[in-house]
Amino acid sequence: MSEDQSISKPSESVEDAELVSLNDQKSSGAPQTIGYVAIVISIVLGGLYLVRYSGGFDRDTYLESNSIIEEMAALGGGSGADGDVVEVAFDPIKEGQKIYQTNCMACHQVTGQGLPGAFPPLAESEWVSKDPALLARIVLGGLQGPITVKGNEYNSIMAPLAAVLSDEQVAYVLSYIRQEWGNTAGPVEPTVVAEARADMGAKATMWTVEELKPWITE
Amino acid sequence: MKNFISLFFIVFAGIAISWFGLLVVGANSLSPSEEFETTMVVAGDDVIITGHEGLAARGEQVYRALACAACHTQQVRRPGYGGDFERAWGSRQSVARDYMLQDTVVLGTKRLGPDLTNVGARHDAEWFFKHLYNPGSLSEVSNVPSYSFLFTEREMSDGNSSNSLKLEGNDIPEEGFEVVPTDDAVALVAYLQSLNLDYDLPESKRIK
Amino acid sequence: MESSLTQSGTSAIDSSAKAPVLVYLFSALKWLFFASIFGYLASWKTHNPEFLNGWSFLTVGRVQAVYTTAFVYGFGCNIAFGMGLWLISRLSGESLRYTIVLIIAAFVWNIALTVGLVGIFMGHLNAFEFLELPSYVKLPLLLASLVVSVWGLLTFKNRKNADVFASEWYLLAAFLVFPWIQVVTQVMLFTKPAPGVVQALVASWVASNLVWLWFGSIAVAGLYYLIPKLLGKQILGYGLAKIGFIVLIFAGSWMGAAKLVGGPLPAWMITSGIAASLLMIIFFSITGINLFGTVWKHRSRICDNGILLFVGFASLALILSGIGVLLVSLRGFAEVTQFTIFLDAHRFLILYGVFSMTMFALIYYSFPKLLGREWAMDFMISTHFWIAFIGILLVVVPLAIGGWQQGAAMSDASVPFADIVRHASYWMVSRSMAWIFLTIGHLCLILNVLATLRPECEAIVEELTRTEDTSAGGVES
């Protein structure tokens, strides 16, 4: 064939092992300036962006800035995300609903209808509109033995929640129940619950309807 | 960066940090848990988030096997970002909880067809079957191919079957024949009908 | 000094690398041809979906999956393995040992890939872009790529060349990252699937690292090597190169989440992806100066050599891709471009404009050295370049414009969706035209290879015809 040409086209004047020594120089002039400017700009931009728009690294925050959160809220949608967010007025009823869902819903159901034969209803129940002092004692101390609600007799056990809920929480959940599912009684103050708790002291057994007679008024 | 160990360590650290910080942390924070529930009550309505079950689960596999995600997305962006809300593709942003129990999440990356997150609320089964058999017969679609291989044309035995397609114009089969969907088509339509975003979540509420 | 520093030492390395690298090279060319056909078909079906419709195995989504898989895992990975191994052994001054294992790995890879593609045709594909291959081929693919990675890492560890050049950093990164992301894919998506939308996050992370930390690293390594070798000159601003590398590793790996902007992920994940993309300005500026800056400084030399055309173009495409990365990560820009063909244009620019063009350059550079003879049709190198250049322009520019138009129209609810798709499909016709050019370019390369191998080809043909004559003669007598 043809004679042995050099295999590389233009000068393969650089050996592989020489690549580093060829390039081993401190950058200077334009490349260095551009490089350092780029570094400073991107660190500043990237850092600012990360801090500003991270939504507090919160799992439930999908909207990246307060202005968008407000915009969505104004439209009636969006999320009530936590963290760096618009101050929404505290709603004890909403709080009470959450407490109800966690502690009461299992037996009294989401509709407040209870379970026939097992757990009494709270919806339009005559007990719910009675003295808050009575209701606070039931929630704090629990209930056992027969009880008649809306003409039906129930005989179950309601566990005491004194150790689980604070005075405020009992007040919120009672306030919620008293205005939900057609109930039209007024809210309950935490002071009433605090009084009931102090009065009960260290009650060893759960309440019975007999024991609650002093606070049952018509 | 002069030697193997330091180079190896640098690369290893970089990948490990991003893998852990984004994927592992993400997987942990977005898993179902006691305070990230899949059943809850929002504004008085029961909300139960599920994966696709039964026929819809089978349809999810058909959707994947036909690579529908090549042209369709299943994510709704928030109102005001892009035109998703204005096009009635969904009245709220879709969020992580919506997908939490699904087997295969096909968010999709391209829209050569409309978004499907809420398509179950937009069309009924008959529309879906017609769309799959001959999309050209429905005026509002344009670029989707027909999936007529998901249907069989067969001889009628004892009149129309209950699930034969009601077709018009050129599509009507000849006398004595009917077009029925195969099992795959039925499953796929069941899946599409199950795609629904018409419920609220605490972190994403619909705009009416 | 060491004998490896002399010309004969380099030849020794080349002859040890010859067999496995050529096996990977030929596999890559075979897959390139296959991918060209399916690239054209996939593109055609996006604007003419009824074309060849009617069978489930040719439905538009599956054809796209076949094209992507064949191009990425067939052509892309094979050539990345081959050129990666050749570069690391050359730069380390250390021969590849036990090359038979590498050849076996190549066969395992290609057989597994073929099985996977048949599976995709049959509908066993997965729903994530770039990750469509069915799970049952993942293990052989992982093992084959592990072999390549381990060989590469060990060759570097046993290097005779004490100095470590920039290409070697990037090659090491690539060898380490590729098996890692394969394992993450299989475990977090299929074996023990992540909950819900985290799957999409995993898929984005893997796809982004596949493109930038695997293919991108191999391409950048190739460019850092070819530029000083071909020009015989210093790289401009090489002192900064380290910083660019560090940024790619630590920030570049976070970029994937930015693609899910506006999607069902907490804001912080998307913001982290965008912040990472902003930090990548450093990487693109520094490598831009190093690579394109050097080529530009000596641009009068470009016409001397067809390979320099590929190298110069790829360096420029890297900078343009970087600008693209920055733009599409910003929430405001992404609002328009997010689900449009703009992203197709950007991805094509990276995978073809940067990676494939660099690989072509490496092929044109290394093949003569491995074989020990010149290209038979040297002029074809420039021809290939210009044809490919037209093809790339025909993909990137119309899809970018069309994608912007598509996105703007999607934000405007008064435009019926059917109209949007119709207009977009007019732009997509350009991509189908481009595939004709690109395929011709690929044929230029394949023809050149065959012509250069003419003695071997003629010998094979002679062998075959001689056998026929003998048998014919045998029958007669």
Side-chain angles (χ1 to χ4, degrees):
Chain A
M1 291 284 304
S2 58
E3 90 272 42
D4 209 57
Q5 290 172 324
S6 135
I7 292 181
S8 55
K9 253 300 142 68
S11 50
E12 179 151 345
S13 53
V14 183
E15 291 292 338
D16 294 339
E18 294 167 1
L19 280 169
V20 177
S21 46
L22 170 70
N23 290 299
D24 209 2
Q25 11 101 352
K26 206 73 177 70
S27 308
S28 58
Q32 189 180 43
T33 322
I34 299 178
Y36 285 138
V37 166
I39 292 172
V40 169
I41 289 182
S42 34
I43 290 182
V44 165
L45 283 180
L48 280 177
Y49 194 91
L50 185 62
V51 166
R52 176 97 179 75
Y53 290 111
S54 54
F57 291 95
D58 177 47
R59 179 197 66 203
D60 290 328
T61 305
Y62 288 84
L63 307 172
E64 65 270 16
S65 73
N66 267 354
S67 52
I68 299 179
I69 293 176
E70 281 170 32
E71 193 187 306
M72 286 294 113
L75 288 171
S79 68
D82 298 324
D84 198 14
V85 151
V86 179
E87 268 307 310
V88 178
F90 174 71
D91 187 357
I93 304 296
K94 274 242 130 49
E95 191 62 35
Q97 183 183 32
K98 279 196 222 158
I99 299 170
Y100 181 83
Q101 285 162 12
T102 320
N103 296 287
C104 320
M105 198 169 80
C107 301
H108 290 291
Q109 307 304 313
V110 67
T111 48
Q113 294 293 341
L115 222 51
F119 309 122
L122 302 172
E124 293 172 340
S125 156
E126 67 274 26
W127 288 83
V128 168
S129 42
K130 288 193 193 308
D131 189 357
L134 167 70
L135 302 178
R137 279 168 173 76
I138 295 178
V139 174
L140 287 171
L143 194 63
Q144 60 178 332
I147 181 172
T148 306
V149 183
K150 286 168 81 171
N152 292 316
E153 190 172 283
Y154 299 86
N155 195 339
S156 266
I157 294 196
M158 172 166 156
L161 289 167
V164 178
L165 298 176
S166 67
D167 295 335
E168 285 80 13
Q169 288 175 311
V170 175
Y172 298 150
V173 72
L174 285 176
S175 305
Y176 166 72
I177 293 170
R178 280 156 69 92
Q179 54 85 59
E180 192 77 2
W181 315 300
N183 295 323
T184 50
V188 173
E189 291 302 313
T191 44
V192 175
V193 183
E195 263 174 41
R197 193 193 288 267
D199 193 46
M200 273 166 57
K203 191 175 190 319
T205 58
M206 292 180 273
W207 293 103
T208 60
V209 173
E210 267 305 305
E211 292 169 357
L212 286 170
K213 275 244 152 58
W215 296 279
I216 301 176
T217 52
E218 280 314 316
Chain B
M1 301 209 301
K2 286 275 176 195
N3 58 32
F4 178 70
I5 300 285
S6 58
L7 259 178
F8 188 91
F9 179 73
I10 289 175
V11 178
F12 186 89
I15 308 300
I17 291 173
S18 95
W19 167 70
F20 189 84
L22 192 61
L23 299 188
V24 176
V25 165
N28 278 340
S29 77
L30 293 175
S31 299
S33 69
E34 239 176 60
E35 39 92 47
F36 198 50
E37 304 153 324
T38 52
T39 50
M40 67 209 87
V41 178
V42 181
D45 293 320
D46 287 322
V47 173
I48 304 177
I49 302 200
T50 59
H52 295 109
E53 281 146 20
L55 204 51
R58 180 116 185 274
E60 192 180 12
Q61 291 175 14
V62 176
Y63 186 90
R64 186 162 36 96
L66 289 176
C68 307
C71 301
H72 288 284
T73 57
Q74 278 185 31
Q75 45 174 310
V76 179
R77 299 183 288 185
R78 69 167 169 83
Y81 191 77
D84 299 20
F85 175 71
E86 287 79 11
R87 290 189 177 274
W89 284 340
S91 359
R92 63 170 177 85
Q93 180 178 14
S94 51
V95 294
R97 237 199 282 232
D98 292 317
Y99 306 88
M100 203 148 69
L101 295 177
Q102 289 180 16
D103 274 338
T104 314
V105 174
V106 265
L107 288 189
T109 52
K110 210 151 58 208
R111 281 182 182 162
L112 292 176
D115 184 82
L116 299 181
T117 320
N118 203 19
V119 76
R122 295 204 291 271
H123 303 292
D124 61 9
E126 198 183 319
W127 190 94
F128 283 129
F129 280 122
K130 278 216 193 97
H131 175 285
L132 288 171
Y133 183 68
N134 183 4
S137 64
L138 298 160
S139 58
E140 58 261 41
V141 299
S142 74
N143 213 39
V144 59
S146 76
Y147 286 89
S148 49
F149 54 82
L150 288 176
F151 299 83
T152 37
E153 191 173 323
R154 64 171 189 208
E155 231 179 301
M156 282 199 242
S157 57
D158 212 16
N160 265 324
S161 315
S162 58
N163 60 353
S164 70
L165 265 55
K166 303 175 190 43
L167 299 166
E168 288 144 25
N170 288 333
D171 294 330
I172 299 180
E174 47 183 271
E175 199 60 45
F177 281 79
E178 59 176 359
V179 175
V180 284
T182 55
D183 289 341
D184 277 349
V186 174
L188 181 60
V189 169
Y191 169 75
L192 292 172
Q193 284 186 289
S194 75
L195 294 175
N196 196 302
L197 200 65
D198 264 339
Y199 54 93
D200 284 328
L201 283 176
E203 62 267 23
S204 180
K205 297 188 180 56
R206 287 169 296 172
I207 294 178
K208 307 278 190 302
Chain C
M1 278 210 78
E2 314 274 351
S3 60
S4 58
L5 295 180
T6 64
Q7 184 68 22
S8 63
T10 314
S11 306
I13 292 173
D14 283 342
S15 41
S16 82
K18 177 175 171 179
V21 173
L22 285 183
V23 168
Y24 280 115
L25 173 58
F26 294 146
S27 311
L29 291 178
K30 215 175 48 208
W31 284 114
L32 183 63
F33 183 67
F34 180 80
S36 305
I37 299 175
F38 274 88
Y40 179 78
L41 185 59
S43 177
W44 191 262
K45 281 168 94 65
T46 54
H47 53 84
N48 264 19
E50 289 297 337
F51 181 67
L52 286 186
N53 202 41
W55 302 281
S56 59
F57 68 89
L58 279 183
T59 191
V60 58
R62 277 190 213 172
V63 169
Q64 282 193 9
V66 167
Y67 155 65
T68 309
T69 306
F71 185 78
V72 166
Y73 294 95
F75 168 67
C77 286
N78 270 306
I79 197 63
F81 291 150
M83 292 296 114
L85 287 169
W86 182 69
L87 281 173
I88 198 80
S89 78
R90 266 235 175 174
L91 286 164
S92 306
E94 168 74 14
S95 311
L96 294 172
R97 315 251 185 94
Y98 305 110
T99 53
I100 185 71
V101 184
L102 290 170
I103 296 177
I104 296 176
F107 277 99
V108 168
W109 178 273
N110 288 313
I111 293 173
L113 183 59
T114 311
V115 171
L117 281 171
V118 170
I120 293 182
F121 273 122
M122 285 170 32
H124 305 163
L125 71 165
N126 295 309
F128 307 106
E129 212 174 0
F130 285 141
L131 308 175
E132 293 102 339
L133 281 168
S135 301
Y136 47 79
V137 297
K138 291 287 176 61
L139 189 58
L141 290 177
L142 173 65
L143 293 174
S145 70
L146 261 179
V147 165
V148 173
S149 290
V150 168
W151 254 244
L153 291 170
L154 284 179
T155 307
F156 176 75
K157 187 163 178 300
N158 297 329
R159 67 192 181 285
K160 301 225 175 41
N161 209 349
D163 296 330
V164 181
F165 185 56
S167 298
E168 292 168 275
W169 315 326
Y170 285 98
L171 286 169
L172 248 75
F175 288 140
L176 190 49
V177 166
F178 190 45
W180 188 313
I181 60 182
Q182 287 178 283
V183 174
V184 168
T185 307
Q186 183 56 28
V187 172
M188 287 186 87
L189 288 179
F190 307 115
T191 313
K192 199 170 175 298
V197 88
V198 181
Q199 289 180 19
L201 182 64
V202 171
S204 280
W205 183 89
V206 169
S208 165
N209 286 336
L210 182 76
V211 168
W212 286 110
L213 265 67
W214 166 238
F215 288 124
S217 292
I218 300 271
V220 169
L223 289 171
Y224 268 110
Y225 181 75
L226 284 175
I227 288 175
K229 294 283 279 189
L230 290 170
L231 291 173
K233 302 276 185 210
Q234 264 185 356
I235 289 179
L236 204 62
Y238 184 78
L240 294 167
K242 258 196 272 271
I243 303 177
F245 175 71
I246 301 277
V247 168
L248 177 68
I249 300 298
F250 283 94
S253 48
W254 286 81
M255 280 197 295
K259 257 185 291 184
L260 294 164
V261 60
L265 282 179
W268 73 262
M269 291 185 185
I270 295 166
T271 297
S272 69
I274 300 176
S277 304
L278 286 167
L279 279 173
M280 283 289 278
I281 295 177
I282 303 176
F283 168 76
F284 288 115
S285 318
I286 291 179
T287 36
I289 297 170
N290 284 168
L291 302 174
F292 187 67
T294 315
V295 172
W296 184 258
K297 186 166 167 190
H298 304 284
R299 59 191 178 279
S300 53
R301 305 270 304 279
I302 281 197
C303 295
D304 291 347
N305 187 350
I307 306 180
L308 272 173
L309 284 169
F310 282 97
V311 164
F313 179 84
S315 315
L316 179 59
L318 182 62
I319 298 179
L320 295 174
S321 305
I323 297 175
V325 163
L326 182 61
L327 288 175
V328 300
S329 69
L330 297 173
R331 283 183 158 100
F333 195 89
E335 185 177 349
V336 178
T337 61
Q338 193 175 16
F339 297 119
T340 66
I341 55 183
F342 187 95
L343 298 178
D344 285 355
H346 186 229
R347 170 162 302 146
F348 188 83
L349 183 62
I350 304 169
L351 284 179
Y352 202 93
V354 180
F355 175 74
S356 301
M357 295 297 260
T358 308
M359 293 301 112
F360 293 145
L362 279 171
I363 294 173
Y364 283 122
Y365 186 79
S366 66
F367 193 60
K369 298 189 193 317
L370 291 165
L371 268 192
R373 72 182 89 131
E374 289 287 6
W375 283 103
M377 297 193 279
D378 205 58
F379 61 91
M380 282 275 241
I381 300 179
S382 322
T383 316
H384 177 189
F385 171 75
W386 288 111
I387 297 177
F389 176 72
I390 297 175
I392 296 173
L393 274 184
L394 281 177
V395 173
V396 175
V397 174
L399 287 192
I401 301 175
W404 184 267
Q405 198 186 58
Q406 182 188 6
M410 264 208 283
S411 299
D412 178 7
S414 61
V415 181
F417 194 81
D419 285 350
I420 299 181
V421 180
R422 198 157 23 93
H423 286 280
S425 57
Y426 296 150
W427 292 105
M428 291 196 275
V429 173
S430 174
R431 175 172 50 184
S432 304
M433 297 298 111
W435 269 107
I436 300 178
F437 282 92
L438 297 172
T439 310
I440 296 176
H442 302 155
L443 286 173
C444 288
L445 171 57
I446 294 176
L447 270 171
N448 213 345
V449 168
L450 289 174
T452 313
L453 290 174
R454 194 156 154 206
E456 284 85 353
C457 291
E458 283 176 344
I460 294 176
V461 171
E462 209 187 296
E463 189 63 38
L464 289 171
T465 46
R466 191 160 21 102
T467 325
E468 275 176 25
D469 286 340
T470 330
S471 62
V475 165
E476 275 175 9
S477 64

